[in-house]
Amino acid sequence: MRTILAVLLLALGGMQPAAAQKTTLLTHARVHAQGGMAEAVAWDTSGRIVGVGTDAALGAQFADAQRIDAGGRTVLPGLIDAHGHVLGLGLSLLNADLRGTRSKAEIIGRLRKQATVMPADAWLVGRGWDQNDWPEKAFPTAADLDAAFPQQPVYLSRVDGHAAWVNSAALRRIARDLDGDWQPDGGRIERRDGKPTGVFVDGAMDLPEAVMPKPDAALKRKAYELAFAVLVANGLTGVHDAGVSRDDLLVLRGLADTGRLPLRIYAMADADGAALDALCRDGLYAHAGGRLQMRAVKLYVDGALGSRGAALNADYSDDPGNRGLFVTAPEEFRRIAAKAKGCGVQVATHAIGDRGNRLVLDTYAQVLGDAASGDHRWRVEHAQIVDPADIARFAQLRVIASMQPTHATSDMPWAQARLGRERLAGAYAWRRFVDAGVPLALGSDFPVEQVSPLLGLYAAVTRQDLAGKPRQGWLPAQRLSLAEAVRGFSAGAAFAEFAESQLGAIAVGRRADFTVLKDDPFAIPARGIPLDRVEVTVVDGTVVFGGFGRKGR
């Protein structure tokens, strides 16, 4: 009877016998808890929240607790990025960072600097170029790199990861004749007069990648740990890692085994490979430490808008005759989705164009059948350009829209040129999705975009760049409220990983995952959100970044 009473008190008010477990009590805070604002939160040694309330009430309830003075800081539920690429982020930190470059000359300058710290015969690798930011706004060529790097092979990923730019030294290493008018499945080789220019889009990227040296497990461990440090410094307590191979999962598992995984990783298997086969053979994977799991598969339907690979129902407005491409053939996509369903694996599919999104919805409806009304939580990653008539189908099929607010503010300078005004009605249409009852999970798609969830919150509520332009916001009717945006990065992301009973809110019984900010984003003008500062990141009640300073009794 005493045990039953203790459980009931915990569920009702966070009360438990003081001697049961050593408790930590955080006081003098602005806690955005599930039931409203609070001043204090307490958690036990298992990392589970056992009390939320006022300083006085929790101070009396947990009189023997170890106390931490938050000094008036703001405590949000641990923010989760629902779509990122952790290894890609780590590798980008080891290679040349080309984000923000405004010309080919600036890129050459960064590559020259990177080359000084590398062996002369090593591939020179970078990521982040975007031709839309250059004066000429046209794809580059191998010749643009050859004068600076005539012998050293160069491989540069576009900012979205959907195109690669290589030099002639890299082209010479590809063991296939690239001339003519043939194209690989799911991709495009850019050519001029039948000759490759040096740009490979989507599936064609496999050609240069096949002759590049692959990172070994030691390099991956280093890359992961670099990425982890950046992620927790930005206040993230979890990431949905979109596309993880079986080998990469083994590296992550080794890091988790040795206590070197400071945040939660919800890994998605990389298409129909060894990782999905393992899930089908061995069952859904969850590490005993609670910070690593794999129960989803990441598929691709189309390419990206910036490289004109997103599959559209009509021609690109600035490229007549081009409607993008399917990275995965529709029949193959249907087969893999059916395989995943049979194994009880969640499906998350990259779809950017309106034709790509429609194909995903059609396929989900066919594969799920009557199960579409169940709790499958299948997802569409990005859902950037959707025919407004198809948005209601997301809700009907109970599909989650996993979207990235900063994509809108990055793409707004050129999106209308790609689509024309009419198709903008379903572009980055967060409000339309919310109003239709579609669950939203928000993220950044790092390293395509910057990691910071504060930038995502700002983009979601303003639809402006950091200079505050356009003044009224781009397609302002699609803005979210700050509360909706925070939910997308917390409760919405938790729901998308089947963890809503554990994560996504500050409430008794949830995990003690917190993002602690200097200022309260709900109490400052929206323009101040990107300037706010992550001061502490807490996972399972343990500080993994920053610190609260002086501790009291």
Side-chain angles (χ1 to χ4, degrees), residues 86-87 220-221 224-225 228 241 244-258 260-261 265-267 285 287 291-294:
V86 180
L87 183 60
K220 288 179 180 179
R221 280 193 294 273
Y224 272 124
E225 292 191 308
F228 296 159
D241 199 352
V244 176
S245 71
R246 179 65 174 167
D247 288 345
D248 295 348
L249 181 64
L250 293 176
V251 174
L252 285 168
R253 189 171 73 182
L255 292 167
D257 287 342
T258 54
R260 291 186 288 167
L261 188 53
I265 302 294
Y266 184 76
Y285 172 74
H287 190 272
R291 295 189 183 179
L292 176 64
Q293 62 174 315
M294 179 181 280

PDB file of all heavy atoms in Angstrom, residues 86-87 220-221 224-225 228 241 244-258 260-261 265-267 285 287 291-294:
ATOM      1  N   VAL A  86      24.494  14.214 -38.378  1.00  0.00           N
ATOM      2  CA  VAL A  86      25.520  14.401 -37.356  1.00  0.00           C
ATOM      3  C   VAL A  86      26.910  14.119 -37.910  1.00  0.00           C
ATOM      4  O   VAL A  86      27.837  14.918 -37.721  1.00  0.00           O
ATOM      5  CB  VAL A  86      25.224  13.520 -36.130  1.00  0.00           C
ATOM      6  CG1 VAL A  86      26.294  13.728 -35.059  1.00  0.00           C
ATOM      7  CG2 VAL A  86      23.843  13.852 -35.561  1.00  0.00           C
ATOM      8  N   LEU A  87      27.090  13.000 -38.588  1.00  0.00           N
ATOM      9  CA  LEU A  87      28.415  12.710 -39.157  1.00  0.00           C
ATOM     10  C   LEU A  87      28.779  13.745 -40.212  1.00  0.00           C
ATOM     11  O   LEU A  87      29.931  14.188 -40.285  1.00  0.00           O
ATOM     12  CB  LEU A  87      28.433  11.301 -39.748  1.00  0.00           C
ATOM     13  CG  LEU A  87      29.784  10.852 -40.314  1.00  0.00           C
ATOM     14  CD1 LEU A  87      30.861  10.866 -39.242  1.00  0.00           C
ATOM     15  CD2 LEU A  87      29.669   9.460 -40.940  1.00  0.00           C
ATOM     16  N   LYS A 220      35.656   8.739 -38.158  1.00  0.00           N
ATOM     17  CA  LYS A 220      34.239   8.956 -37.851  1.00  0.00           C
ATOM     18  C   LYS A 220      34.047   9.288 -36.376  1.00  0.00           C
ATOM     19  O   LYS A 220      33.257  10.172 -36.028  1.00  0.00           O
ATOM     20  CB  LYS A 220      33.417   7.734 -38.240  1.00  0.00           C
ATOM     21  CG  LYS A 220      33.252   7.543 -39.739  1.00  0.00           C
ATOM     22  CD  LYS A 220      32.443   6.299 -40.036  1.00  0.00           C
ATOM     23  CE  LYS A 220      32.274   6.089 -41.531  1.00  0.00           C
ATOM     24  NZ  LYS A 220      31.495   4.864 -41.842  1.00  0.00           N
ATOM     25  N   ARG A 221      34.758   8.579 -35.501  1.00  0.00           N
ATOM     26  CA  ARG A 221      34.647   8.891 -34.071  1.00  0.00           C
ATOM     27  C   ARG A 221      35.052  10.327 -33.789  1.00  0.00           C
ATOM     28  O   ARG A 221      34.387  11.045 -33.025  1.00  0.00           O
ATOM     29  CB  ARG A 221      35.508   7.925 -33.250  1.00  0.00           C
ATOM     30  CG  ARG A 221      34.877   6.564 -33.017  1.00  0.00           C
ATOM     31  CD  ARG A 221      35.623   5.788 -31.960  1.00  0.00           C
ATOM     32  NE  ARG A 221      36.973   5.437 -32.392  1.00  0.00           N
ATOM     33  CZ  ARG A 221      37.278   4.345 -33.078  1.00  0.00           C
ATOM     34  NH1 ARG A 221      36.328   3.484 -33.405  1.00  0.00           N
ATOM     35  NH2 ARG A 221      38.523   4.100 -33.426  1.00  0.00           N
ATOM     36  N   TYR A 224      32.288  12.599 -35.128  1.00  0.00           N
ATOM     37  CA  TYR A 224      31.101  12.580 -34.264  1.00  0.00           C
ATOM     38  C   TYR A 224      31.331  13.418 -33.011  1.00  0.00           C
ATOM     39  O   TYR A 224      30.466  14.209 -32.602  1.00  0.00           O
ATOM     40  CB  TYR A 224      30.760  11.145 -33.866  1.00  0.00           C
ATOM     41  CG  TYR A 224      29.860  10.425 -34.842  1.00  0.00           C
ATOM     42  CD1 TYR A 224      30.243   9.213 -35.419  1.00  0.00           C
ATOM     43  CD2 TYR A 224      28.609  10.937 -35.180  1.00  0.00           C
ATOM     44  CE1 TYR A 224      29.409   8.537 -36.306  1.00  0.00           C
ATOM     45  CE2 TYR A 224      27.777  10.272 -36.068  1.00  0.00           C
ATOM     46  CZ  TYR A 224      28.183   9.073 -36.631  1.00  0.00           C
ATOM     47  OH  TYR A 224      27.357   8.418 -37.513  1.00  0.00           O
ATOM     48  N   GLU A 225      32.471  13.276 -32.387  1.00  0.00           N
ATOM     49  CA  GLU A 225      32.705  13.993 -31.140  1.00  0.00           C
ATOM     50  C   GLU A 225      32.805  15.499 -31.378  1.00  0.00           C
ATOM     51  O   GLU A 225      32.358  16.296 -30.543  1.00  0.00           O
ATOM     52  CB  GLU A 225      33.951  13.444 -30.444  1.00  0.00           C
ATOM     53  CG  GLU A 225      33.717  12.021 -29.942  1.00  0.00           C
ATOM     54  CD  GLU A 225      34.813  11.512 -29.028  1.00  0.00           C
ATOM     55  OE1 GLU A 225      35.992  11.578 -29.412  1.00  0.00           O
ATOM     56  OE2 GLU A 225      34.486  11.032 -27.927  1.00  0.00           O
ATOM     57  N   PHE A 228      29.154  16.492 -31.740  1.00  0.00           N
ATOM     58  CA  PHE A 228      28.445  16.501 -30.452  1.00  0.00           C
ATOM     59  C   PHE A 228      28.703  17.800 -29.696  1.00  0.00           C
ATOM     60  O   PHE A 228      27.787  18.382 -29.104  1.00  0.00           O
ATOM     61  CB  PHE A 228      28.893  15.327 -29.579  1.00  0.00           C
ATOM     62  CG  PHE A 228      28.578  13.961 -30.120  1.00  0.00           C
ATOM     63  CD1 PHE A 228      29.294  12.849 -29.677  1.00  0.00           C
ATOM     64  CD2 PHE A 228      27.579  13.764 -31.060  1.00  0.00           C
ATOM     65  CE1 PHE A 228      29.007  11.586 -30.155  1.00  0.00           C
ATOM     66  CE2 PHE A 228      27.293  12.499 -31.558  1.00  0.00           C
ATOM     67  CZ  PHE A 228      28.023  11.405 -31.094  1.00  0.00           C
ATOM     68  N   ASP A 241      18.843  11.834 -36.603  1.00  0.00           N
ATOM     69  CA  ASP A 241      19.962  11.742 -37.552  1.00  0.00           C
ATOM     70  C   ASP A 241      19.468  11.056 -38.822  1.00  0.00           C
ATOM     71  O   ASP A 241      19.247   9.837 -38.843  1.00  0.00           O
ATOM     72  CB  ASP A 241      21.107  10.967 -36.909  1.00  0.00           C
ATOM     73  CG  ASP A 241      22.441  11.205 -37.585  1.00  0.00           C
ATOM     74  OD1 ASP A 241      22.460  11.853 -38.646  1.00  0.00           O
ATOM     75  OD2 ASP A 241      23.466  10.739 -37.045  1.00  0.00           O
ATOM     76  N   VAL A 244      21.684   6.926 -41.476  1.00  0.00           N
ATOM     77  CA  VAL A 244      22.838   6.377 -40.752  1.00  0.00           C
ATOM     78  C   VAL A 244      23.069   4.951 -41.236  1.00  0.00           C
ATOM     79  O   VAL A 244      22.160   4.119 -41.202  1.00  0.00           O
ATOM     80  CB  VAL A 244      22.576   6.392 -39.231  1.00  0.00           C
ATOM     81  CG1 VAL A 244      23.720   5.727 -38.474  1.00  0.00           C
ATOM     82  CG2 VAL A 244      22.381   7.832 -38.747  1.00  0.00           C
ATOM     83  N   SER A 245      24.287   4.675 -41.673  1.00  0.00           N
ATOM     84  CA  SER A 245      24.611   3.333 -42.142  1.00  0.00           C
ATOM     85  C   SER A 245      24.802   2.382 -40.966  1.00  0.00           C
ATOM     86  O   SER A 245      24.936   2.799 -39.813  1.00  0.00           O
ATOM     87  CB  SER A 245      25.887   3.362 -42.987  1.00  0.00           C
ATOM     88  OG  SER A 245      27.024   3.595 -42.159  1.00  0.00           O
ATOM     89  N   ARG A 246      24.850   1.097 -41.262  1.00  0.00           N
ATOM     90  CA  ARG A 246      25.102   0.104 -40.218  1.00  0.00           C
ATOM     91  C   ARG A 246      26.477   0.343 -39.581  1.00  0.00           C
ATOM     92  O   ARG A 246      26.623   0.277 -38.352  1.00  0.00           O
ATOM     93  CB  ARG A 246      25.036  -1.297 -40.823  1.00  0.00           C
ATOM     94  CG  ARG A 246      25.314  -2.430 -39.839  1.00  0.00           C
ATOM     95  CD  ARG A 246      24.269  -2.512 -38.760  1.00  0.00           C
ATOM     96  NE  ARG A 246      24.469  -3.684 -37.893  1.00  0.00           N
ATOM     97  CZ  ARG A 246      23.861  -3.853 -36.740  1.00  0.00           C
ATOM     98  NH1 ARG A 246      23.017  -2.937 -36.297  1.00  0.00           N
ATOM     99  NH2 ARG A 246      24.084  -4.930 -36.010  1.00  0.00           N
ATOM    100  N   ASP A 247      27.489   0.637 -40.401  1.00  0.00           N
ATOM    101  CA  ASP A 247      28.823   0.894 -39.864  1.00  0.00           C
ATOM    102  C   ASP A 247      28.827   2.131 -38.965  1.00  0.00           C
ATOM    103  O   ASP A 247      29.475   2.145 -37.914  1.00  0.00           O
ATOM    104  CB  ASP A 247      29.834   1.077 -40.999  1.00  0.00           C
ATOM    105  CG  ASP A 247      30.148  -0.235 -41.708  1.00  0.00           C
ATOM    106  OD1 ASP A 247      29.830  -1.308 -41.163  1.00  0.00           O
ATOM    107  OD2 ASP A 247      30.701  -0.185 -42.826  1.00  0.00           O
ATOM    108  N   ASP A 248      28.100   3.171 -39.380  1.00  0.00           N
ATOM    109  CA  ASP A 248      28.044   4.396 -38.566  1.00  0.00           C
ATOM    110  C   ASP A 248      27.318   4.137 -37.250  1.00  0.00           C
ATOM    111  O   ASP A 248      27.692   4.678 -36.206  1.00  0.00           O
ATOM    112  CB  ASP A 248      27.349   5.517 -39.339  1.00  0.00           C
ATOM    113  CG  ASP A 248      28.131   5.939 -40.578  1.00  0.00           C
ATOM    114  OD1 ASP A 248      29.304   5.532 -40.714  1.00  0.00           O
ATOM    115  OD2 ASP A 248      27.559   6.663 -41.406  1.00  0.00           O
ATOM    116  N   LEU A 249      26.279   3.308 -37.283  1.00  0.00           N
ATOM    117  CA  LEU A 249      25.573   2.979 -36.049  1.00  0.00           C
ATOM    118  C   LEU A 249      26.502   2.250 -35.079  1.00  0.00           C
ATOM    119  O   LEU A 249      26.446   2.467 -33.865  1.00  0.00           O
ATOM    120  CB  LEU A 249      24.342   2.123 -36.349  1.00  0.00           C
ATOM    121  CG  LEU A 249      23.497   1.741 -35.128  1.00  0.00           C
ATOM    122  CD1 LEU A 249      22.889   2.977 -34.475  1.00  0.00           C
ATOM    123  CD2 LEU A 249      22.399   0.752 -35.518  1.00  0.00           C
ATOM    124  N   LEU A 250      27.381   1.397 -35.609  1.00  0.00           N
ATOM    125  CA  LEU A 250      28.325   0.696 -34.743  1.00  0.00           C
ATOM    126  C   LEU A 250      29.286   1.674 -34.080  1.00  0.00           C
ATOM    127  O   LEU A 250      29.654   1.505 -32.909  1.00  0.00           O
ATOM    128  CB  LEU A 250      29.090  -0.362 -35.551  1.00  0.00           C
ATOM    129  CG  LEU A 250      28.257  -1.540 -36.064  1.00  0.00           C
ATOM    130  CD1 LEU A 250      29.109  -2.462 -36.927  1.00  0.00           C
ATOM    131  CD2 LEU A 250      27.631  -2.313 -34.908  1.00  0.00           C
ATOM    132  N   VAL A 251      29.706   2.709 -34.816  1.00  0.00           N
ATOM    133  CA  VAL A 251      30.560   3.735 -34.221  1.00  0.00           C
ATOM    134  C   VAL A 251      29.802   4.474 -33.118  1.00  0.00           C
ATOM    135  O   VAL A 251      30.329   4.695 -32.017  1.00  0.00           O
ATOM    136  CB  VAL A 251      31.068   4.719 -35.295  1.00  0.00           C
ATOM    137  CG1 VAL A 251      31.843   5.868 -34.661  1.00  0.00           C
ATOM    138  CG2 VAL A 251      31.947   3.997 -36.309  1.00  0.00           C
ATOM    139  N   LEU A 252      28.577   4.845 -33.403  1.00  0.00           N
ATOM    140  CA  LEU A 252      27.754   5.523 -32.388  1.00  0.00           C
ATOM    141  C   LEU A 252      27.533   4.630 -31.169  1.00  0.00           C
ATOM    142  O   LEU A 252      27.578   5.099 -30.025  1.00  0.00           O
ATOM    143  CB  LEU A 252      26.406   5.921 -32.995  1.00  0.00           C
ATOM    144  CG  LEU A 252      26.412   7.121 -33.942  1.00  0.00           C
ATOM    145  CD1 LEU A 252      25.100   7.214 -34.692  1.00  0.00           C
ATOM    146  CD2 LEU A 252      26.670   8.411 -33.174  1.00  0.00           C
ATOM    147  N   ARG A 253      27.319   3.357 -31.409  1.00  0.00           N
ATOM    148  CA  ARG A 253      27.108   2.437 -30.295  1.00  0.00           C
ATOM    149  C   ARG A 253      28.361   2.349 -29.416  1.00  0.00           C
ATOM    150  O   ARG A 253      28.266   2.316 -28.186  1.00  0.00           O
ATOM    151  CB  ARG A 253      26.727   1.050 -30.803  1.00  0.00           C
ATOM    152  CG  ARG A 253      26.283   0.105 -29.688  1.00  0.00           C
ATOM    153  CD  ARG A 253      25.718  -1.180 -30.254  1.00  0.00           C
ATOM    154  NE  ARG A 253      26.769  -2.039 -30.800  1.00  0.00           N
ATOM    155  CZ  ARG A 253      26.537  -3.212 -31.398  1.00  0.00           C
ATOM    156  NH1 ARG A 253      25.287  -3.624 -31.565  1.00  0.00           N
ATOM    157  NH2 ARG A 253      27.520  -3.941 -31.860  1.00  0.00           N
ATOM    158  N   GLY A 254      29.531   2.346 -30.061  1.00  0.00           N
ATOM    159  CA  GLY A 254      30.770   2.332 -29.289  1.00  0.00           C
ATOM    160  C   GLY A 254      30.925   3.580 -28.439  1.00  0.00           C
ATOM    161  O   GLY A 254      31.370   3.512 -27.281  1.00  0.00           O
ATOM    162  N   LEU A 255      30.531   4.729 -28.981  1.00  0.00           N
ATOM    163  CA  LEU A 255      30.582   5.972 -28.208  1.00  0.00           C
ATOM    164  C   LEU A 255      29.589   5.934 -27.050  1.00  0.00           C
ATOM    165  O   LEU A 255      29.898   6.390 -25.943  1.00  0.00           O
ATOM    166  CB  LEU A 255      30.304   7.164 -29.128  1.00  0.00           C
ATOM    167  CG  LEU A 255      31.391   7.448 -30.170  1.00  0.00           C
ATOM    168  CD1 LEU A 255      30.883   8.433 -31.224  1.00  0.00           C
ATOM    169  CD2 LEU A 255      32.651   7.996 -29.508  1.00  0.00           C
ATOM    170  N   ALA A 256      28.409   5.384 -27.300  1.00  0.00           N
ATOM    171  CA  ALA A 256      27.424   5.263 -26.223  1.00  0.00           C
ATOM    172  C   ALA A 256      27.906   4.292 -25.151  1.00  0.00           C
ATOM    173  O   ALA A 256      27.720   4.531 -23.948  1.00  0.00           O
ATOM    174  CB  ALA A 256      26.080   4.814 -26.797  1.00  0.00           C
ATOM    175  N   ASP A 257      28.536   3.198 -25.566  1.00  0.00           N
ATOM    176  CA  ASP A 257      29.031   2.203 -24.610  1.00  0.00           C
ATOM    177  C   ASP A 257      30.051   2.805 -23.641  1.00  0.00           C
ATOM    178  O   ASP A 257      30.142   2.379 -22.484  1.00  0.00           O
ATOM    179  CB  ASP A 257      29.695   1.035 -25.344  1.00  0.00           C
ATOM    180  CG  ASP A 257      28.696   0.125 -26.045  1.00  0.00           C
ATOM    181  OD1 ASP A 257      27.494   0.176 -25.714  1.00  0.00           O
ATOM    182  OD2 ASP A 257      29.132  -0.641 -26.929  1.00  0.00           O
ATOM    183  N   THR A 258      30.832   3.765 -24.126  1.00  0.00           N
ATOM    184  CA  THR A 258      31.905   4.349 -23.319  1.00  0.00           C
ATOM    185  C   THR A 258      31.524   5.692 -22.711  1.00  0.00           C
ATOM    186  O   THR A 258      32.390   6.430 -22.243  1.00  0.00           O
ATOM    187  CB  THR A 258      33.173   4.506 -24.178  1.00  0.00           C
ATOM    188  OG1 THR A 258      32.872   5.256 -25.365  1.00  0.00           O
ATOM    189  CG2 THR A 258      33.732   3.138 -24.576  1.00  0.00           C
ATOM    190  N   ARG A 260      30.373   8.422 -24.111  1.00  0.00           N
ATOM    191  CA  ARG A 260      30.792   9.604 -24.874  1.00  0.00           C
ATOM    192  C   ARG A 260      29.705  10.095 -25.829  1.00  0.00           C
ATOM    193  O   ARG A 260      29.988  10.717 -26.852  1.00  0.00           O
ATOM    194  CB  ARG A 260      32.076   9.295 -25.656  1.00  0.00           C
ATOM    195  CG  ARG A 260      33.290   9.113 -24.749  1.00  0.00           C
ATOM    196  CD  ARG A 260      34.555   8.947 -25.566  1.00  0.00           C
ATOM    197  NE  ARG A 260      34.590   7.645 -26.228  1.00  0.00           N
ATOM    198  CZ  ARG A 260      35.454   7.331 -27.193  1.00  0.00           C
ATOM    199  NH1 ARG A 260      36.322   8.238 -27.629  1.00  0.00           N
ATOM    200  NH2 ARG A 260      35.447   6.122 -27.728  1.00  0.00           N
ATOM    201  N   LEU A 261      28.464   9.832 -25.463  1.00  0.00           N
ATOM    202  CA  LEU A 261      27.318  10.316 -26.234  1.00  0.00           C
ATOM    203  C   LEU A 261      26.535  11.283 -25.347  1.00  0.00           C
ATOM    204  O   LEU A 261      25.725  10.862 -24.521  1.00  0.00           O
ATOM    205  CB  LEU A 261      26.440   9.146 -26.671  1.00  0.00           C
ATOM    206  CG  LEU A 261      25.294   9.430 -27.643  1.00  0.00           C
ATOM    207  CD1 LEU A 261      25.794  10.151 -28.876  1.00  0.00           C
ATOM    208  CD2 LEU A 261      24.607   8.133 -28.039  1.00  0.00           C
ATOM    209  N   ILE A 265      20.426  10.501 -29.776  1.00  0.00           N
ATOM    210  CA  ILE A 265      20.458  10.357 -31.233  1.00  0.00           C
ATOM    211  C   ILE A 265      19.359   9.376 -31.642  1.00  0.00           C
ATOM    212  O   ILE A 265      19.379   8.196 -31.260  1.00  0.00           O
ATOM    213  CB  ILE A 265      21.818   9.841 -31.725  1.00  0.00           C
ATOM    214  CG1 ILE A 265      22.955  10.772 -31.287  1.00  0.00           C
ATOM    215  CG2 ILE A 265      21.801   9.675 -33.249  1.00  0.00           C
ATOM    216  CD1 ILE A 265      22.910  12.157 -31.908  1.00  0.00           C
ATOM    217  N   TYR A 266      18.405   9.880 -32.415  1.00  0.00           N
ATOM    218  CA  TYR A 266      17.354   9.050 -33.006  1.00  0.00           C
ATOM    219  C   TYR A 266      17.780   8.794 -34.445  1.00  0.00           C
ATOM    220  O   TYR A 266      17.575   9.624 -35.331  1.00  0.00           O
ATOM    221  CB  TYR A 266      16.012   9.772 -32.939  1.00  0.00           C
ATOM    222  CG  TYR A 266      14.828   8.972 -33.438  1.00  0.00           C
ATOM    223  CD1 TYR A 266      14.286   7.951 -32.659  1.00  0.00           C
ATOM    224  CD2 TYR A 266      14.239   9.249 -34.661  1.00  0.00           C
ATOM    225  CE1 TYR A 266      13.191   7.229 -33.098  1.00  0.00           C
ATOM    226  CE2 TYR A 266      13.139   8.537 -35.111  1.00  0.00           C
ATOM    227  CZ  TYR A 266      12.620   7.523 -34.330  1.00  0.00           C
ATOM    228  OH  TYR A 266      11.517   6.811 -34.774  1.00  0.00           O
ATOM    229  N   ALA A 267      18.439   7.672 -34.661  1.00  0.00           N
ATOM    230  CA  ALA A 267      19.062   7.392 -35.952  1.00  0.00           C
ATOM    231  C   ALA A 267      18.061   6.759 -36.913  1.00  0.00           C
ATOM    232  O   ALA A 267      17.251   5.916 -36.525  1.00  0.00           O
ATOM    233  CB  ALA A 267      20.262   6.473 -35.760  1.00  0.00           C
ATOM    234  N   TYR A 285      16.192  -1.097 -32.712  1.00  0.00           N
ATOM    235  CA  TYR A 285      17.375  -1.014 -31.850  1.00  0.00           C
ATOM    236  C   TYR A 285      17.244   0.116 -30.837  1.00  0.00           C
ATOM    237  O   TYR A 285      16.844   1.235 -31.176  1.00  0.00           O
ATOM    238  CB  TYR A 285      18.632  -0.772 -32.689  1.00  0.00           C
ATOM    239  CG  TYR A 285      19.852  -0.494 -31.842  1.00  0.00           C
ATOM    240  CD1 TYR A 285      20.481  -1.520 -31.142  1.00  0.00           C
ATOM    241  CD2 TYR A 285      20.342   0.803 -31.699  1.00  0.00           C
ATOM    242  CE1 TYR A 285      21.580  -1.266 -30.332  1.00  0.00           C
ATOM    243  CE2 TYR A 285      21.448   1.063 -30.891  1.00  0.00           C
ATOM    244  CZ  TYR A 285      22.057   0.022 -30.212  1.00  0.00           C
ATOM    245  OH  TYR A 285      23.132   0.283 -29.412  1.00  0.00           O
ATOM    246  N   HIS A 287      19.732   1.464 -27.449  1.00  0.00           N
ATOM    247  CA  HIS A 287      20.867   1.266 -26.555  1.00  0.00           C
ATOM    248  C   HIS A 287      20.391   1.316 -25.110  1.00  0.00           C
ATOM    249  O   HIS A 287      19.499   2.109 -24.762  1.00  0.00           O
ATOM    250  CB  HIS A 287      21.917   2.351 -26.813  1.00  0.00           C
ATOM    251  CG  HIS A 287      23.210   2.115 -26.122  1.00  0.00           C
ATOM    252  ND1 HIS A 287      23.458   2.556 -24.836  1.00  0.00           N
ATOM    253  CD2 HIS A 287      24.341   1.479 -26.523  1.00  0.00           C
ATOM    254  CE1 HIS A 287      24.679   2.213 -24.482  1.00  0.00           C
ATOM    255  NE2 HIS A 287      25.243   1.551 -25.489  1.00  0.00           N
ATOM    256  N   ARG A 291      20.256   6.789 -24.905  1.00  0.00           N
ATOM    257  CA  ARG A 291      20.584   7.949 -25.734  1.00  0.00           C
ATOM    258  C   ARG A 291      20.790   7.620 -27.212  1.00  0.00           C
ATOM    259  O   ARG A 291      21.157   8.501 -27.987  1.00  0.00           O
ATOM    260  CB  ARG A 291      21.837   8.650 -25.189  1.00  0.00           C
ATOM    261  CG  ARG A 291      21.610   9.258 -23.813  1.00  0.00           C
ATOM    262  CD  ARG A 291      22.752  10.130 -23.379  1.00  0.00           C
ATOM    263  NE  ARG A 291      22.548  10.641 -22.026  1.00  0.00           N
ATOM    264  CZ  ARG A 291      23.400  11.420 -21.377  1.00  0.00           C
ATOM    265  NH1 ARG A 291      24.533  11.795 -21.969  1.00  0.00           N
ATOM    266  NH2 ARG A 291      23.136  11.825 -20.145  1.00  0.00           N
ATOM    267  N   LEU A 292      20.569   6.379 -27.586  1.00  0.00           N
ATOM    268  CA  LEU A 292      20.750   5.996 -28.980  1.00  0.00           C
ATOM    269  C   LEU A 292      19.710   4.960 -29.344  1.00  0.00           C
ATOM    270  O   LEU A 292      19.538   3.963 -28.641  1.00  0.00           O
ATOM    271  CB  LEU A 292      22.161   5.427 -29.195  1.00  0.00           C
ATOM    272  CG  LEU A 292      22.471   4.880 -30.593  1.00  0.00           C
ATOM    273  CD1 LEU A 292      22.426   5.991 -31.648  1.00  0.00           C
ATOM    274  CD2 LEU A 292      23.833   4.186 -30.607  1.00  0.00           C
ATOM    275  N   GLN A 293      19.016   5.208 -30.452  1.00  0.00           N
ATOM    276  CA  GLN A 293      18.078   4.213 -30.960  1.00  0.00           C
ATOM    277  C   GLN A 293      17.968   4.320 -32.466  1.00  0.00           C
ATOM    278  O   GLN A 293      18.309   5.337 -33.073  1.00  0.00           O
ATOM    279  CB  GLN A 293      16.709   4.355 -30.311  1.00  0.00           C
ATOM    280  CG  GLN A 293      16.009   5.667 -30.546  1.00  0.00           C
ATOM    281  CD  GLN A 293      14.591   5.673 -29.977  1.00  0.00           C
ATOM    282  OE1 GLN A 293      13.833   4.727 -30.146  1.00  0.00           O
ATOM    283  NE2 GLN A 293      14.241   6.751 -29.287  1.00  0.00           N
ATOM    284  N   MET A 294      17.500   3.237 -33.083  1.00  0.00           N
ATOM    285  CA  MET A 294      17.200   3.231 -34.515  1.00  0.00           C
ATOM    286  C   MET A 294      15.941   2.403 -34.710  1.00  0.00           C
ATOM    287  O   MET A 294      15.917   1.205 -34.441  1.00  0.00           O
ATOM    288  CB  MET A 294      18.352   2.646 -35.343  1.00  0.00           C
ATOM    289  CG  MET A 294      18.051   2.602 -36.842  1.00  0.00           C
ATOM    290  SD  MET A 294      19.377   1.887 -37.854  1.00  0.00           S
ATOM    291  CE  MET A 294      20.507   3.270 -37.994  1.00  0.00           C
TER     292      MET A 294
END
